[in-house]
Amino acid sequence: MSFVLGLVTILSVAQAQARPQSALDVMTFEDEFTCNDKFPHHSFCEAVEFRPWSEAEKQIVGEYLANINDPRLGHLLEVIKSKGITKIHRVGYGATWYNNISKRRAEFVRSRDKALLWVNPVTNVIGFSDSFFTGTSFMDPHAKVDRKQINVFHELVHVFDVALGHISTSQEFYDSVGWHWDGKEHVIGGVDYHQSQLDFKNILALVGNKQSARAYAQDRELGIQYGFPTVYSMTNTHESFAEIISYYIFDPTAKDYLSPKIQAYVKSVLKED
């Protein structure tokens, strides 16, 4: 019996040591990416402009990745690692895709959005753009962490979602949040959804007027009033999934505004002990 217990202890220690302790243990910095005539098409590389990482950039991003170390994220990190969506790239821009029917292939064009970083669900590329390093950084008013820290984790949650087959579109997630189809679009029940989307348009207007800090503060405050981390989290199911999990982990006050049903879902999907 003592031999068996000793073996179990050794295996448990070995498993714990092998388990990623932070996102820095999972993600890798990549300087190159190859496109071709088929997939991903050359238009993708032309649109995003892959660039080599500088050591200073690696250090900045590495610190953000190292801070994604909450013990509740063990399963999330394991899933990302097991699916192999672990390479992060330095890019100039984002890209959107369209189906070129005549040539029977997916092609890409440069995105107008100046996203700090992004995950392309078609190619599974994770890109950090110029905007990530040049954009103004500020503290989240509730989570008390750098907004960019939440941005980085948000994109890793998208990777987690992709790795699990887009569970942000599952009925279980819909039911926990209140997403449903009203005959025209997906909406969230139990709130004034139409007003929330008007609120989001006003927030985007602030961003357009170069008032990003004010826009972010409003996004947070109004979102919390609706029972969500941000108004942005109410725009579609993919962003809803990423925002909810991001703030559940980084915002200690999330338990005060996320419904018990949402919190129960997050605990389930993260496989919290």
Side-chain angles (χ1 to χ4, degrees):
M1 178 66 73
S2 60
F3 171 76
V4 173
L5 290 174
L7 181 59
V8 170
T9 300
I10 292 172
L11 290 174
S12 298
V13 171
Q15 289 172 347
Q17 291 175 339
R19 189 176 300 134
Q21 299 301 304
S22 77
L24 189 58
D25 297 329
V26 174
M27 312 308 291
T28 60
F29 295 95
E30 294 292 324
D31 285 331
E32 298 180 355
F33 187 85
T34 302
C35 293
N36 54 59
D37 292 333
K38 295 183 179 179
F39 184 83
H41 186 254
H42 293 297
S43 57
F44 181 61
C45 288
E46 293 168 0
V48 305
E49 290 189 7
F50 287 96
R51 303 171 183 178
W53 287 91
S54 71
E55 289 304 315
E57 290 168 346
K58 286 183 180 180
Q59 182 174 352
I60 291 170
V61 174
E63 289 178 0
Y64 285 123
L65 293 174
N67 288 335
I68 301 173
N69 58 11
D70 191 294
R72 294 172 292 178
L73 296 176
H75 174 64
L76 179 146
L77 295 174
E78 285 283 6
V79 167
I80 292 174
K81 181 179 179 180
S82 67
K83 293 296 182 179
I85 312 176
T86 59
K87 298 178 180 179
I88 55 177
H89 296 267
R90 180 68 173 86
V91 298
Y93 310 93
T96 57
W97 72 281
Y98 65 96
N99 189 16
N100 188 325
I101 298 176
S102 63
K103 296 184 178 180
R104 297 182 179 180
R105 68 189 181 201
E107 294 189 2
F108 301 81
V109 294
R110 183 168 296 169
S111 174
R112 294 181 179 180
D113 297 333
K114 294 183 178 180
L116 303 183
L117 66 159
W118 44 261
V119 176
N120 186 288
V122 179
T123 61
N124 288 341
V125 168
I126 306 165
F128 281 72
S129 72
D130 292 350
S131 298
F132 184 85
F133 301 99
T134 60
T136 302
S137 184
F138 42 83
M139 296 294 287
D140 181 276
H142 299 278
K144 305 303 181 185
V145 297
D146 182 346
R147 179 195 64 147
K148 290 183 181 179
Q149 179 67 71
I150 298 175
N151 292 148
V152 173
F153 181 52
H154 174 105
E155 296 306 321
L156 292 191
V157 178
H158 277 314
V159 174
F160 177 61
D161 185 22
V162 170
L164 290 178
H166 296 287
I167 58 173
S168 59
T169 61
S170 68
Q171 192 61 49
E172 185 180 7
F173 179 62
Y174 281 18
D175 291 344
S176 69
V177 176
W179 283 104
H180 65 277
W181 182 255
D182 71 350
K184 296 181 180 179
E185 60 181 342
H186 280 100
V187 300
I188 299 174
V191 298
D192 188 339
Y193 189 75
H194 177 68
Q195 182 59 50
S196 75
Q197 299 313 289
L198 291 177
D199 290 338
F200 189 63
K201 287 183 179 180
N202 292 333
I203 290 167
L204 289 179
L206 289 175
V207 174
N209 290 327
K210 301 186 184 302
Q211 299 181 60
S212 295
R214 183 181 174 191
Y216 182 72
Q218 284 196 15
D219 192 23
R220 287 286 274 141
E221 296 304 326
L222 291 174
I224 288 172
Q225 290 177 26
Y226 285 113
F228 291 85
T230 58
V231 180
Y232 182 47
S233 68
M234 304 171 71
T235 56
N236 63 65
T237 61
H238 300 298
E239 299 306 335
S240 184
F241 182 83
E243 288 281 273
I244 285 171
I245 293 181
S246 295
Y247 287 94
Y248 174 85
I249 292 296
F250 275 100
D251 183 3
T253 71
K255 64 182 183 300
D256 298 327
Y257 56 78
L258 292 178
S259 72
K261 200 169 185 179
I262 289 177
Q263 293 185 57
Y265 172 81
V266 175
K267 289 180 180 179
S268 173
V269 79
L270 293 180
K271 297 189 182 300
E272 285 189 36
D273 295 333

